[in-house]
């Protein structure tokens, strides 16, 4: 199973969490958030990077009309707030816990810079990660603006294949074991849960996919 958040089988969370380094461990603690708690708001100072120990975090922003736009839903082992590394002073998005118990490892910019200086290969992986994250978010926003809901869903399945998929040797189908609820998926592709249920059932009837709560099987190639 291959994920975009791993590079050369390296989990960035495991490498970057200060708990792993004696020099930083003493003054470091994890923060715990309940469901709907905000980790940061738009316009907050961008002085930390965050790593998810457990739980799920929603990243998004609000339009001038107060409409919520969700850019990503992140899970265990992933990082966010990474734009702080690039020298951006203020947040242009919010981060909110969407699990009952979400454990977050906050890392100051100064600590992160020190860790990156001490390991050049890790520094390279972080910047590669940031580039891939930005590219994916741009693609998702283009889909939301210009593509119909079915196309957005099929494109999302392609992303899931890259992140969580593997090929079943017996059937040749792509199996996706993912961490998202149907509500999460509906949010990410900009639709309602009933519409998502209708589309997924249509795709199942067309023998394009099969699915259960935590697994999706891609039975036909998705263009």
């Amino acid at each position: 199973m291959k994920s975009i958040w791993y590079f050369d089988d390296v989990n960035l969370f495991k490498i970057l969490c200060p708990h792993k380094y004696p020099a930083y461990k003493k003054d470091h603690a994890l923060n715990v958030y309940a469901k709907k708690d905000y980790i940061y708001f738009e316009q907050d100072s961008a002085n930390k990077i965050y790593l998810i120990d457990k739980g799920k975090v929603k990243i998004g922003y609000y339009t001038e009309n107060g409409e919520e736009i969700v850019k990503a839903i992140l899970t265990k082992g992933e990082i966010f707030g990474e734009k702080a590394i690039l020298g951006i002073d203020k947040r242009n998005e919010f981060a909110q816990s969407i699990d009952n118990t979400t454990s977050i490892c906050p890392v100051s910019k100064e600590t992160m810079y020190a860790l990156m200086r001490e390991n050049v290969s890790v520094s390279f992986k972080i910047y590669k990660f940031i580039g891939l994250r930005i590219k994916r978010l741009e693609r998702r926003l283009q889909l939301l603006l210009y593509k119909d809901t079915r196309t957005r869903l099929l494109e999302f399945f392609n992303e899931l294949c890259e992140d969580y998929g593997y090929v079943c040797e017996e059937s040749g189908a792509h199996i996706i074991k993912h961490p998202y609820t149907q509500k999460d998926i509906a949010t990410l592709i900009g639709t309602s849960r009933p519409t998502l249920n209708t589309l997924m059932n249509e795709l199942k009837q067309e023998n394009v996919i099969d699915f259960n709560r935590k697994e999706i099987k891609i039975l036909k190639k998705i263009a």
Side-chain angles (χ1 to χ4, degrees), residues 4-223:
I4 195 171
W5 316 118
Y6 291 73
F7 300 102
D8 302 325
D9 296 323
V10 175
N11 184 323
L12 290 179
F13 172 80
K14 290 181 179 178
I15 288 179
L16 296 177
C17 180
H19 273 105
K20 311 297 179 183
Y21 299 86
Y24 303 102
K25 184 176 181 179
K26 180 180 178 181
D27 299 318
H28 184 70
L30 295 175
N31 296 334
V32 178
Y33 298 86
K35 189 173 183 178
K36 296 187 178 181
D37 284 350
Y38 283 89
I39 295 97
Y40 58 75
F41 297 93
E42 294 179 67
Q43 298 303 310
D44 278 357
S45 177
N47 54 15
K48 293 180 182 178
I49 294 87
Y50 300 87
L51 303 99
I52 304 176
D53 178 42
K54 64 179 181 179
K56 287 194 290 188
V57 172
K58 176 171 65 176
I59 307 296
Y61 64 93
Y62 293 100
T63 67
E64 293 181 356
N65 297 326
E67 181 185 1
E68 181 183 274
I69 305 296
V70 177
K71 296 164 62 177
I73 292 176
L74 308 177
T75 60
K76 180 178 179 178
E78 299 185 33
I79 70 175
F80 63 98
E82 69 280 353
K83 290 180 183 177
I85 300 174
L86 304 178
I88 295 173
D89 295 326
K90 298 289 184 181
R91 303 290 184 191
N92 61 0
E93 61 193 18
F94 67 79
Q96 182 184 33
S97 168
I98 55 173
D99 252 1
N100 291 324
T101 304
T102 297
S103 180
I104 301 293
C105 168
V107 185
S108 70
K109 284 196 296 187
E110 291 73 20
T111 297
M112 184 63 74
Y113 287 144
L115 291 172
M116 291 167 68
R117 284 194 299 269
E118 292 166 8
N119 193 323
V120 176
S121 66
V122 170
S123 180
F124 171 76
K125 295 179 196 306
I126 290 172
Y127 284 120
K128 183 178 179 182
F129 157 81
I130 292 173
L132 288 170
R133 169 72 65 80
I134 292 172
K135 183 177 180 181
R136 174 165 290 185
L137 290 178
E138 287 177 345
R139 172 62 178 161
R140 184 165 292 162
L141 289 175
Q142 288 176 351
L143 288 169
L144 286 172
L145 288 171
Y146 303 115
K147 300 296 181 179
D148 61 86
T149 308
R150 181 185 172 105
T151 302
R152 298 200 300 268
L153 178 59
L154 293 175
E155 180 69 19
F156 184 72
F157 287 159
N158 279 329
E159 287 187 10
L160 289 181
C161 267
E162 292 178 8
D163 293 353
Y164 302 102
Y166 64 96
V167 178
C168 176
E169 293 182 0
E170 292 182 3
S171 65
H174 282 82
I175 311 297
I176 304 169
K177 292 185 179 293
H178 62 91
Y180 300 113
T181 65
Q182 286 203 355
K183 182 179 179 181
D184 293 340
I185 295 172
T187 298
L188 285 170
I189 68 170
T191 192
S192 66
R193 190 170 175 179
T195 299
L196 174 67
N197 287 335
T198 298
L199 280 173
M200 292 190 69
N201 285 321
E202 286 177 358
L203 291 169
K204 185 175 182 178
Q205 290 174 2
E206 295 168 16
N207 205 35
V208 175
I209 66 169
D210 194 8
F211 63 92
N212 56 42
R213 188 168 176 266
K214 288 297 181 182
E215 182 179 290
I216 299 170
K217 292 182 181 179
I218 306 299
L219 306 175
K220 292 182 181 178
K221 184 177 179 180
I222 298 175

